[in-house]
Every structure is written in C-alpha cells, then in structure tokens.
Amino acid sequence: AWYLLTGYRAGRYVPYVQVSRRTPVSSDSLMTFPQRTLAAGLRWDAFNKVAVKVQLERIKTDNTPGVSFLTPFVESSLFPLNVPVTRPVTTVSLAVDFVF
C-alpha cells in the first residue's frame, strides 16, 4: 500500500489532495482486495489550537467484494446479511482537531 499527500498553506487554510492505492500481496492476508482512493480536502485553523477539516473521497474497490464498505442489512428468509459494495463509493467527512 502507498499514499501521496500534498498541500499548500495559504494563511489559515491548507487545501490538499491525496492519492492512495492498496494492492494485495498474497491471498493469506486479511487485506486481499485492491482499493484506489482519490481525496481532496481543506484544513482551516479556525482558532488557536483548533483546526476544522473537510474531505471528499472517491474510493474504487476495483469490482472486488471488499470489506471497506457494506450495504445496509438485506433481509433473507433465514437471517439478515451485509452485502459487500463492489462499485465506487464517495464519502464526505468533517473533523475538528483540537489541543487542550
């Protein structure tokens, strides 16, 4: 696995872009599925010792039944099942980092 993250500080703002890829090494590993991610985000130093970050990601599971994402429960006659997601997924996250 690898990732590359780059950003540029402009005052209290840091826009950034991240690219990552995971490739399985062997079928004996728990991480036996490939995954590619492209992300863009913005960090804002809102206050002294407080940063707010928002990030948009596009994750591609390369048509494999990976375990990164599961659909909500699908009812079956015997028990509910989680179904692996095999299509690309877009996520948005918001985080607040602080030091106390």
Side-chain angles (χ1 to χ4, degrees):
W2 60 266
Y3 78 92
L4 174 66
L5 174 71
T6 185
Y8 180 78
R9 178 171 289 280
R12 297 170 57 173
Y13 299 93
V14 181
Y16 62 89
V17 176
Q18 177 181 333
V19 177
S20 66
R21 184 176 190 122
R22 179 177 53 215
T23 307
V25 180
S26 73
S27 60
D28 298 337
S29 169
L30 289 175
M31 300 296 186
T32 59
F33 55 93
Q35 184 172 297
R36 294 177 290 154
T37 303
L38 177 61
L42 179 68
R43 174 190 164 114
W44 170 43
D45 294 330
F47 305 104
N48 186 24
K49 301 183 181 181
V50 176
V52 178
K53 296 186 289 186
V54 63
Q55 181 169 307
L56 176 68
E57 287 182 281
R58 182 69 170 174
I59 301 112
K60 294 183 180 178
T61 58
D62 291 332
N63 258 353
T64 59
V67 296
S68 294
F69 300 96
L70 298 173
T71 61
F73 284 117
V74 174
E75 296 296 329
S76 71
S77 58
L78 299 175
F79 52 88
L81 299 172
N82 277 322
V83 179
V85 173
T86 58
R87 64 187 185 283
V89 175
T90 302
T91 64
V92 177
S93 61
L94 177 67
V96 178
D97 297 340
F98 59 92
V99 178
F100 56 94

XYZ file of all heavy atoms in Angstrom:
795
model
N 0.848 -1.177 0.000
C 0.000 0.000 0.000
C 0.890 1.236 0.000
O 2.015 1.204 0.506
C -0.916 0.002 1.208
N 0.371 2.302 -0.570
C 1.093 3.573 -0.567
C 0.092 4.722 -0.666
O -1.057 4.520 -1.030
C 2.093 3.658 -1.718
C 1.484 3.544 -3.083
C 1.359 2.395 -3.812
C 0.901 4.590 -3.875
N 0.739 2.657 -5.011
C 0.441 4.008 -5.082
C 0.713 5.954 -3.693
C -0.178 4.737 -6.081
C 0.095 6.680 -4.694
C -0.336 6.079 -5.873
N 0.548 5.907 -0.284
C -0.263 7.106 -0.496
C 0.644 8.299 -0.685
O 1.791 8.321 -0.212
C -1.268 7.332 0.629
C -0.715 7.913 1.891
C -0.704 9.279 2.113
C -0.198 7.097 2.887
C -0.208 9.820 3.285
C 0.299 7.617 4.060
C 0.296 8.982 4.254
O 0.808 9.510 5.414
N 0.139 9.296 -1.374
C 0.833 10.547 -1.594
C -0.123 11.661 -1.206
O -1.259 11.703 -1.682
C 1.235 10.688 -3.070
C 1.857 12.017 -3.474
C 3.206 12.201 -2.782
C 2.010 12.091 -4.981
N 0.323 12.540 -0.323
C -0.490 13.652 0.162
C 0.302 14.927 -0.051
O 1.465 15.013 0.335
C -0.814 13.474 1.647
C -1.541 14.613 2.339
C -2.979 14.682 1.865
C -1.501 14.421 3.847
N -0.339 15.913 -0.681
C 0.321 17.193 -0.878
C -0.669 18.315 -0.602
O -1.862 18.173 -0.860
C 0.913 17.309 -2.297
O 1.657 18.532 -2.400
C -0.164 17.282 -3.351
N -0.151 19.397 -0.035
C -0.992 20.540 0.276
C -0.194 21.826 0.200
O 1.033 21.810 0.047
N -0.891 22.936 0.339
C -0.238 24.233 0.278
C -0.883 25.148 1.308
O -2.099 25.363 1.275
C -0.378 24.843 -1.126
C 0.289 26.186 -1.254
C 1.657 26.274 -1.401
C -0.451 27.359 -1.183
C 2.294 27.493 -1.503
C 0.163 28.598 -1.281
C 1.535 28.654 -1.444
O 2.147 29.867 -1.530
N -0.065 25.658 2.241
C -0.589 26.558 3.270
C -0.755 27.956 2.693
O 0.164 28.523 2.108
C 0.336 26.614 4.484
C -0.164 27.580 5.549
C 0.630 27.482 6.827
N 0.358 26.257 7.535
C -0.700 26.027 8.309
N -1.615 26.967 8.446
N -0.848 24.891 8.936
N -1.952 28.508 2.869
C -2.255 29.876 2.459
C -2.890 30.557 3.670
O -4.105 30.522 3.843
C -3.193 29.891 1.271
N -2.074 31.105 4.529
C -2.575 31.718 5.761
C -3.112 30.659 6.709
O -2.404 29.746 7.098
N -4.402 30.768 7.043
C -5.024 29.817 7.970
C -5.654 28.628 7.262
O -6.292 27.795 7.882
C -6.069 30.546 8.806
C -5.444 31.636 9.686
C -6.453 32.517 10.331
N -7.396 31.739 11.138
C -8.306 32.270 11.927
N -8.398 33.571 12.023
N -9.127 31.522 12.614
N -5.478 28.535 5.936
C -6.083 27.463 5.142
C -5.020 26.574 4.515
O -3.966 27.061 4.090
C -6.964 28.049 4.033
C -8.099 28.868 4.561
C -7.974 30.243 4.723
C -9.293 28.265 4.930
C -9.020 31.007 5.220
C -10.343 29.016 5.433
C -10.195 30.384 5.571
O -11.229 31.127 6.078
N -5.308 25.284 4.440
C -4.425 24.326 3.767
C -5.281 23.419 2.882
O -5.854 22.445 3.365
C -3.616 23.461 4.762
C -2.698 22.509 4.007
C -2.839 24.323 5.733
N -5.416 23.726 1.591
C -6.071 22.783 0.687
C -5.090 21.648 0.376
O -3.877 21.876 0.292
C -6.362 23.621 -0.556
C -5.423 24.760 -0.488
C -5.080 24.984 0.949
N -5.606 20.437 0.215
C -4.735 19.301 -0.041
C -5.412 18.280 -0.941
O -6.627 18.257 -1.091
C -4.278 18.648 1.268
C -5.392 18.084 2.103
C -5.824 16.772 1.929
C -6.003 18.862 3.082
C -6.847 16.252 2.709
C -7.020 18.344 3.862
C -7.430 17.043 3.678
O -8.447 16.531 4.446
N -4.573 17.426 -1.531
C -5.018 16.336 -2.393
C -4.261 15.084 -1.968
O -3.071 15.156 -1.633
C -4.722 16.639 -3.883
C -5.102 15.459 -4.763
C -5.447 17.880 -4.330
N -4.959 13.948 -1.988
C -4.338 12.682 -1.598
C -4.702 11.602 -2.624
O -5.838 11.527 -3.079
C -4.815 12.245 -0.224
C -4.269 10.909 0.207
C -4.773 10.494 1.578
O -5.097 11.342 2.403
N -4.845 9.214 1.816
N -3.730 10.785 -2.971
C -3.918 9.640 -3.855
C -3.370 8.429 -3.122
O -2.289 8.504 -2.533
C -3.159 9.829 -5.190
C -3.311 8.606 -6.071
C -3.622 11.068 -5.893
N -4.102 7.321 -3.131
C -3.606 6.116 -2.463
C -4.013 4.871 -3.236
O -4.954 4.893 -4.032
C -4.122 6.032 -1.026
O -5.516 5.848 -1.013
N -3.286 3.801 -2.965
C -3.573 2.520 -3.615
C -3.137 1.386 -2.695
O -2.088 1.468 -2.056
C -2.845 2.417 -4.934
C -3.206 1.157 -5.676
C -2.554 1.113 -7.041
N -3.144 0.011 -7.764
C -3.757 0.099 -8.912
N -3.854 1.266 -9.502
N -4.259 -0.949 -9.507
N -3.976 0.365 -2.639
C -3.637 -0.843 -1.883
C -3.732 -2.012 -2.855
O -4.738 -2.198 -3.539
C -4.597 -1.050 -0.721
C -4.297 -2.303 0.055
C -5.192 -2.487 1.252
N -6.597 -2.390 0.866
C -7.528 -1.866 1.641
N -7.222 -1.356 2.802
N -8.780 -1.832 1.241
N -2.674 -2.807 -2.909
C -2.623 -3.977 -3.770
C -2.327 -5.192 -2.902
O -1.386 -5.155 -2.117
C -1.515 -3.817 -4.839
O -1.725 -2.582 -5.517
C -1.531 -4.950 -5.824
N -3.101 -6.269 -3.038
C -2.845 -7.443 -2.208
C -1.505 -8.091 -2.540
O -1.105 -8.142 -3.701
C -4.004 -8.381 -2.533
C -4.545 -7.915 -3.825
C -4.225 -6.454 -3.929
N -0.828 -8.555 -1.504
C 0.457 -9.227 -1.676
C 0.249 -10.732 -1.806
O 0.870 -11.397 -2.614
C 1.398 -8.920 -0.490
C 2.727 -9.621 -0.666
C 1.587 -7.433 -0.354
N -0.653 -11.254 -0.975
C -0.956 -12.683 -1.031
C -2.404 -12.898 -0.622
O -3.032 -12.041 -0.025
C -0.028 -13.467 -0.108
O -0.386 -13.259 1.241
N -2.927 -14.056 -0.921
C -4.312 -14.363 -0.550
C -4.430 -14.796 0.903
O -5.529 -15.004 1.395
C -4.869 -15.449 -1.461
O -4.086 -16.617 -1.333
N -3.306 -14.922 1.618
C -3.328 -15.310 3.028
C -3.578 -14.125 3.952
O -3.843 -14.298 5.127
C -2.000 -15.966 3.421
C -1.742 -17.243 2.646
O -2.724 -17.843 2.164
O -0.575 -17.629 2.517
N -3.495 -12.928 3.407
C -3.640 -11.714 4.202
C -5.115 -11.348 4.370
O -5.963 -11.713 3.566
C -2.900 -10.570 3.509
O -3.217 -9.340 4.106
N -5.412 -10.598 5.443
C -6.764 -10.075 5.628
C -7.080 -9.008 4.581
O -8.223 -8.787 4.240
C -6.918 -9.482 7.025
C -6.947 -10.479 8.172
C -6.983 -9.731 9.502
C -8.120 -11.414 8.054
N -6.062 -8.333 4.090
C -6.229 -7.282 3.090
C -6.039 -7.866 1.698
O -5.107 -7.540 0.983
C -5.225 -6.156 3.329
C -5.353 -5.516 4.656
S -6.950 -4.700 4.778
C -6.777 -3.888 6.321
N -6.908 -8.770 1.275
C -6.752 -9.464 -0.004
C -7.519 -8.794 -1.132
O -7.782 -9.419 -2.139
C -7.212 -10.925 0.117
O -8.579 -10.918 0.533
C -6.366 -11.693 1.087
N -7.891 -7.543 -0.985
C -8.638 -6.857 -2.034
C -7.957 -5.541 -2.382
O -7.444 -4.855 -1.514
C -10.085 -6.615 -1.607
C -10.212 -5.882 -0.309
C -10.342 -4.505 -0.295
C -10.188 -6.557 0.895
C -10.454 -3.824 0.896
C -10.298 -5.873 2.084
C -10.434 -4.505 2.090
N -7.938 -5.181 -3.659
C -7.340 -3.904 -4.059
C -8.290 -2.745 -3.792
O -9.500 -2.929 -3.708
C -7.108 -4.081 -5.562
C -8.143 -5.060 -5.979
C -8.366 -5.966 -4.810
N -7.708 -1.572 -3.652
C -8.529 -0.375 -3.446
C -7.738 0.843 -3.891
O -6.548 0.941 -3.615
C -8.900 -0.252 -1.971
C -9.816 0.902 -1.670
C -10.308 0.855 -0.236
O -10.986 -0.087 0.148
N -9.948 1.838 0.546
N -8.413 1.774 -4.590
C -7.791 3.030 -5.008
C -8.625 4.182 -4.475
O -9.850 4.121 -4.490
C -7.725 3.112 -6.529
C -6.808 2.073 -7.134
C -6.823 2.122 -8.631
N -8.121 1.640 -9.108
C -8.651 1.989 -10.273
N -8.035 2.832 -11.056
N -9.820 1.496 -10.649
N -7.953 5.233 -4.004
C -8.656 6.375 -3.426
C -8.070 7.677 -3.950
O -6.858 7.824 -4.049
C -8.549 6.355 -1.885
O -9.059 5.123 -1.396
C -9.324 7.505 -1.267
N -8.955 8.613 -4.254
C -8.575 9.978 -4.600
C -9.353 10.885 -3.663
O -10.572 10.754 -3.542
C -8.920 10.286 -6.061
C -8.641 11.700 -6.543
C -7.153 12.017 -6.436
C -9.124 11.885 -7.959
N -8.653 11.775 -2.968
C -9.299 12.640 -1.984
C -8.828 14.079 -2.150
O -7.702 14.335 -2.565
C -8.989 12.162 -0.566
N -9.723 15.004 -1.808
C -9.401 16.430 -1.779
C -10.001 16.988 -0.492
O -11.088 16.584 -0.078
C -9.971 17.154 -2.986
N -9.270 17.876 0.144
C -9.771 18.409 1.402
C -9.278 19.811 1.680
O -8.452 20.366 0.934
N -9.787 20.362 2.752
C -9.400 21.697 3.202
C -9.310 21.702 4.714
O -10.236 21.272 5.406
C -10.426 22.741 2.750
C -10.147 24.180 3.184
C -8.905 24.713 2.477
C -11.345 25.064 2.904
N -8.157 22.163 5.219
C -7.960 22.342 6.655
C -8.000 23.841 6.935
O -7.384 24.636 6.218
C -6.608 21.775 7.084
C -6.276 22.058 8.535
C -4.830 21.697 8.825
N -4.416 22.304 10.064
C -4.105 21.639 11.160
N -4.143 20.325 11.137
N -3.755 22.263 12.241
N -8.747 24.194 7.967
C -8.873 25.598 8.360
C -8.479 25.711 9.826
O -9.080 25.067 10.684
C -10.311 26.067 8.155
C -10.636 27.410 8.724
C -9.885 28.550 8.663
C -11.819 27.766 9.447
N -10.514 29.590 9.279
C -11.723 29.127 9.781
C -12.953 27.064 9.836
C -12.705 29.792 10.495
C -13.931 27.734 10.533
C -13.806 29.088 10.860
N -7.456 26.512 10.125
C -7.061 26.773 11.503
C -8.006 27.828 12.047
O -7.746 29.025 11.981
C -5.602 27.225 11.565
C -4.640 26.135 11.135
O -4.959 24.949 11.330
O -3.579 26.470 10.585
N -9.127 27.370 12.586
C -10.221 28.248 12.994
C -9.855 29.115 14.191
O -10.146 30.315 14.210
C -11.468 27.430 13.300
N -9.258 28.517 15.194
C -8.879 29.224 16.426
C -7.505 28.740 16.845
O -6.960 27.813 16.261
C -9.885 28.942 17.557
C -11.304 29.265 17.190
C -12.192 28.254 16.884
C -11.753 30.577 17.152
C -13.501 28.531 16.547
C -13.056 30.875 16.819
C -13.936 29.847 16.514
N -6.977 29.352 17.897
C -5.723 28.886 18.455
C -5.918 27.453 18.952
O -6.787 27.191 19.768
C -5.288 29.814 19.599
C -3.918 29.456 20.111
O -3.115 28.864 19.389
N -3.646 29.816 21.343
N -5.155 26.513 18.424
C -5.189 25.093 18.807
C -6.456 24.364 18.354
O -6.789 23.315 18.893
C -4.989 24.914 20.308
C -3.669 25.472 20.809
C -3.503 25.210 22.278
C -2.203 25.800 22.785
N -1.988 25.564 24.192
N -7.199 24.900 17.387
C -8.394 24.228 16.851
C -8.344 24.285 15.315
O -8.202 25.356 14.735
C -9.701 24.881 17.336
C -10.903 24.229 16.688
C -9.807 24.832 18.849
N -8.459 23.106 14.678
C -8.483 23.020 13.220
C -9.749 22.287 12.792
O -10.153 21.305 13.402
C -7.254 22.272 12.709
N -10.361 22.774 11.723
C -11.552 22.143 11.142
C -11.138 21.613 9.772
O -10.511 22.324 8.987
C -12.710 23.152 10.999
C -13.911 22.501 10.356
C -13.066 23.746 12.357
N -11.483 20.344 9.505
C -11.111 19.732 8.236
C -12.342 19.132 7.559
O -13.160 18.503 8.216
C -10.081 18.628 8.451
C -8.760 19.134 8.999
C -7.720 18.057 9.077
C -8.035 17.076 10.172
N -6.991 16.076 10.388
N -12.439 19.348 6.252
C -13.488 18.722 5.451
C -12.787 18.001 4.302
O -11.807 18.510 3.750
C -14.528 19.748 4.945
C -13.910 20.770 4.032
C -15.689 19.056 4.267
N -13.260 16.785 3.998
C -12.604 15.978 2.968
C -13.642 15.242 2.131
O -14.616 14.726 2.660
C -11.654 14.977 3.620
C -10.904 14.117 2.626
C -9.790 13.332 3.277
O -8.956 13.908 3.961
N -9.777 12.036 3.077
N -13.402 15.201 0.829
C -14.231 14.466 -0.119
C -13.359 13.361 -0.716
O -12.252 13.639 -1.180
C -14.728 15.393 -1.230
C -15.524 14.758 -2.356
C -16.876 14.262 -1.845
C -15.720 15.746 -3.482
N -13.852 12.107 -0.671
C -13.078 10.973 -1.170
C -13.881 10.180 -2.194
O -15.088 10.027 -2.045
C -12.727 9.992 -0.052
C -11.690 10.459 0.899
C -11.383 9.390 1.927
O -12.172 9.245 2.873
O -10.362 8.701 1.754
N -13.179 9.654 -3.167
C -13.763 8.716 -4.134
C -12.951 7.426 -4.019
O -11.758 7.409 -4.309
C -13.677 9.290 -5.542
C -14.282 8.423 -6.597
C -15.776 8.364 -6.459
N -16.345 7.724 -7.634
C -17.596 7.424 -7.757
N -18.430 7.714 -6.791
N -18.042 6.840 -8.834
N -13.590 6.374 -3.548
C -12.920 5.104 -3.298
C -13.384 4.091 -4.332
O -14.582 3.884 -4.496
C -13.209 4.579 -1.880
C -12.738 5.592 -0.849
C -12.538 3.242 -1.640
C -13.823 6.232 -0.100
N -12.445 3.465 -5.013
C -12.757 2.431 -6.000
C -12.276 1.091 -5.459
O -11.096 0.941 -5.127
C -12.082 2.731 -7.332
C -12.622 3.978 -7.987
C -11.981 4.206 -9.326
C -12.552 5.461 -9.965
N -11.921 5.729 -11.248
N -13.181 0.132 -5.370
C -12.828 -1.197 -4.865
C -12.453 -2.145 -5.992
O -12.280 -3.337 -5.770
C -13.987 -1.805 -4.054
O -15.134 -1.875 -4.890
C -14.283 -0.981 -2.824
N -12.310 -1.636 -7.204
C -11.905 -2.427 -8.368
C -12.766 -3.661 -8.579
O -12.276 -4.739 -8.874
C -10.430 -2.825 -8.267
C -9.513 -1.620 -8.419
O -9.911 -0.658 -9.088
O -8.408 -1.647 -7.866
N -14.082 -3.499 -8.380
C -15.049 -4.574 -8.604
C -14.814 -5.823 -7.755
O -15.147 -6.923 -8.150
C -15.078 -4.974 -10.078
C -16.264 -4.379 -10.775
O -17.131 -3.780 -10.146
N -16.311 -4.535 -12.070
N -14.195 -5.656 -6.622
C -13.993 -6.795 -5.727
C -14.945 -6.663 -4.550
O -15.308 -5.558 -4.153
C -12.553 -6.841 -5.189
O -12.282 -5.626 -4.485
C -11.551 -7.001 -6.313
N -15.356 -7.753 -3.960
C -16.228 -7.679 -2.793
C -15.416 -7.340 -1.550
O -15.206 -8.167 -0.682
C -16.853 -9.062 -2.715
C -15.833 -9.955 -3.333
C -15.155 -9.139 -4.389
N -14.887 -6.127 -1.501
C -14.059 -5.704 -0.377
C -14.862 -5.550 0.905
O -16.080 -5.572 0.896
N -14.177 -5.410 2.009
C -14.843 -5.268 3.304
C -14.820 -3.828 3.789
O -15.222 -3.556 4.906
C -14.192 -6.192 4.358
C -14.386 -7.631 3.975
C -12.725 -5.882 4.550
N -14.349 -2.888 2.952
C -14.314 -1.487 3.364
C -15.705 -0.915 3.555
O -15.940 -0.123 4.457
C -13.571 -0.645 2.327
O -12.225 -1.000 2.287
N -16.641 -1.322 2.694
C -17.998 -0.800 2.756
C -18.989 -1.939 2.616
O -18.792 -2.844 1.816
C -18.242 0.220 1.642
C -17.323 1.395 1.711
C -16.168 1.431 0.964
C -17.611 2.448 2.550
C -15.306 2.514 1.042
C -16.766 3.531 2.640
C -15.613 3.560 1.880
N -20.053 -1.869 3.388
C -21.130 -2.850 3.307
C -22.445 -2.110 3.161
O -22.631 -1.044 3.743
C -21.179 -3.732 4.555
C -19.948 -4.598 4.824
C -20.074 -5.282 6.173
C -19.771 -5.627 3.737
N -23.358 -2.665 2.389
C -24.686 -2.073 2.278
C -25.445 -2.338 3.571
O -25.068 -3.213 4.353
C -25.466 -2.679 1.102
O -25.609 -4.073 1.326
C -24.775 -2.421 -0.213
N -26.524 -1.616 3.806
C -27.347 -1.926 4.977
C -27.857 -3.360 4.896
O -27.799 -4.000 3.856
C -28.505 -0.930 4.878
C -27.992 0.159 4.012
C -27.017 -0.478 3.066
N -28.345 -3.839 6.013
C -28.819 -5.216 6.084
C -29.813 -5.526 4.969
O -30.691 -4.738 4.661
C -29.503 -5.488 7.417
C -28.531 -5.643 8.548
C -28.541 -4.751 9.595
C -27.620 -6.674 8.559
C -27.661 -4.886 10.647
C -26.725 -6.823 9.606
C -26.752 -5.923 10.643
N -29.663 -6.673 4.363
C -30.595 -7.191 3.369
C -31.302 -8.372 4.015
O -30.662 -9.312 4.485
C -29.855 -7.651 2.091
C -30.822 -8.308 1.132
C -29.147 -6.471 1.447
N -32.605 -8.285 4.094
C -33.362 -9.346 4.751
C -33.407 -10.600 3.888
O -33.612 -10.533 2.691
C -34.791 -8.879 5.055
C -34.857 -7.736 6.030
C -34.331 -8.091 7.414
O -34.448 -9.252 7.830
O -33.780 -7.191 8.067
N -33.159 -11.723 4.502
C -33.316 -13.008 3.823
C -34.266 -13.856 4.655
O -34.685 -13.460 5.735
C -31.973 -13.708 3.654
O -31.500 -14.169 4.907
N -34.574 -15.009 4.162
C -35.529 -15.852 4.884
C -34.953 -16.389 6.189
O -35.683 -16.645 7.131
C -35.980 -17.011 3.994
O -34.840 -17.764 3.605
N -33.620 -16.530 6.286
C -33.022 -17.107 7.482
C -32.441 -16.066 8.432
O -32.663 -16.110 9.626
C -31.925 -18.107 7.100
C -32.388 -19.308 6.272
C -31.179 -20.139 5.865
C -33.383 -20.144 7.061
N -31.679 -15.113 7.903
C -31.032 -14.109 8.745
C -30.633 -12.908 7.888
O -30.462 -13.035 6.684
C -29.814 -14.702 9.452
C -28.853 -15.391 8.515
C -27.845 -14.684 7.882
C -28.970 -16.752 8.265
C -26.970 -15.313 7.022
C -28.096 -17.391 7.398
C -27.094 -16.665 6.781
N -30.444 -11.736 8.504
C -30.042 -10.552 7.728
C -28.584 -10.676 7.267
O -27.753 -11.257 7.958
C -30.219 -9.402 8.717
C -30.197 -10.037 10.048
C -30.684 -11.449 9.894
N -28.295 -10.130 6.102
C -26.953 -10.201 5.532
C -26.441 -8.808 5.212
O -27.203 -7.948 4.787
C -26.967 -11.008 4.231
C -27.399 -12.455 4.302
C -27.538 -13.001 2.887
C -26.397 -13.265 5.082
N -25.139 -8.601 5.399
C -24.486 -7.411 4.872
C -23.943 -7.779 3.507
O -23.313 -8.817 3.343
C -23.329 -6.967 5.764
C -23.801 -6.148 6.923
O -24.707 -5.345 6.783
N -23.201 -6.342 8.078
N -24.190 -6.950 2.512
C -23.745 -7.228 1.154
C -22.553 -6.319 0.837
O -22.649 -5.102 0.967
C -24.891 -6.976 0.149
C -24.425 -7.234 -1.268
C -26.088 -7.840 0.510
N -21.411 -6.891 0.408
C -20.255 -6.059 0.073
C -20.555 -5.122 -1.090
O -21.288 -5.476 -2.007
C -19.182 -7.077 -0.326
C -19.623 -8.362 0.265
C -21.121 -8.313 0.298
N -19.979 -3.936 -1.063
C -20.127 -2.952 -2.123
C -19.017 -3.184 -3.142
O -17.846 -3.251 -2.790
C -20.042 -1.523 -1.548
C -20.029 -0.497 -2.657
C -21.186 -1.280 -0.598
N -19.368 -3.307 -4.406
C -18.365 -3.546 -5.444
C -18.237 -2.373 -6.406
O -17.411 -2.409 -7.296
C -18.717 -4.812 -6.257
O -20.010 -4.640 -6.811
C -18.670 -6.049 -5.381
N -19.024 -1.332 -6.254
C -18.933 -0.163 -7.130
C -18.213 0.973 -6.374
O -18.070 0.918 -5.155
C -20.323 0.271 -7.562
C -21.193 0.734 -6.438
C -22.616 0.992 -6.893
N -23.410 1.546 -5.837
C -23.912 0.858 -4.822
N -23.682 -0.432 -4.716
N -24.636 1.441 -3.890
N -17.756 2.009 -7.070
C -17.087 3.128 -6.403
C -17.996 3.801 -5.370
O -19.215 3.849 -5.529
C -16.764 4.080 -7.552
C -16.693 3.210 -8.753
C -17.737 2.147 -8.528
N -17.372 4.322 -4.326
C -18.086 4.965 -3.225
C -17.509 6.364 -3.025
O -16.299 6.556 -3.087
C -17.923 4.146 -1.922
C -18.552 4.855 -0.749
C -18.504 2.754 -2.086
N -18.389 7.343 -2.793
C -17.966 8.705 -2.481
C -18.322 8.997 -1.037
O -19.445 8.746 -0.611
C -18.660 9.717 -3.406
O -18.343 9.386 -4.763
C -18.213 11.129 -3.111
N -17.354 9.513 -0.284
C -17.595 9.863 1.116
C -17.226 11.320 1.356
O -16.354 11.878 0.684
C -16.787 8.984 2.089
O -15.390 9.222 1.891
C -17.087 7.518 1.895
N -17.889 11.928 2.318
C -17.581 13.278 2.779
C -17.386 13.193 4.282
O -18.187 12.559 4.981
C -18.721 14.270 2.454
C -18.405 15.649 3.010
C -18.966 14.339 0.966
N -16.319 13.797 4.778
C -16.084 13.775 6.224
C -15.790 15.181 6.732
O -15.267 16.029 6.005
C -14.928 12.831 6.566
O -13.734 13.268 5.954
N -16.143 15.398 7.977
C -15.888 16.657 8.673
C -15.260 16.304 10.006
O -15.786 15.463 10.741
C -17.187 17.437 8.878
C -17.081 18.738 9.662
C -16.265 19.766 8.870
C -18.460 19.280 9.973
N -14.136 16.926 10.319
C -13.431 16.640 11.570
C -12.998 17.940 12.236
O -12.700 18.927 11.554
C -12.219 15.768 11.306
N -12.956 17.905 13.541
C -12.436 19.037 14.331
C -11.322 18.495 15.190
O -11.531 17.569 15.987
C -13.540 19.667 15.217
C -12.944 20.792 16.056
C -14.685 20.168 14.360
N -10.108 19.000 14.990
C -8.944 18.629 15.791
C -8.650 19.748 16.765
O -8.683 20.919 16.405
C -7.715 18.414 14.898
C -7.880 17.264 13.927
O -8.739 16.405 14.171
O -7.133 17.234 12.939
N -8.362 19.363 18.001
C -8.008 20.393 18.991
C -6.984 19.871 19.964
O -6.848 18.663 20.161
C -9.252 20.893 19.744
C -9.989 19.823 20.487
C -9.714 19.547 21.821
C -10.972 19.080 19.852
C -10.390 18.562 22.494
C -11.675 18.094 20.519
C -11.362 17.829 21.850
N -6.243 20.803 20.549
C -5.230 20.511 21.556
C -5.675 21.174 22.843
O -6.068 22.329 22.837
C -3.851 21.060 21.124
C -2.809 20.785 22.200
C -3.420 20.456 19.798
N -5.633 20.428 23.938
C -6.022 21.029 25.219
C -4.969 20.777 26.262
O -4.076 19.997 26.112
C -7.379 20.522 25.699
C -7.465 19.054 25.811
C -7.213 18.419 27.021
C -7.810 18.267 24.719
C -7.316 17.051 27.139
C -7.908 16.898 24.818
C -7.650 16.282 26.025
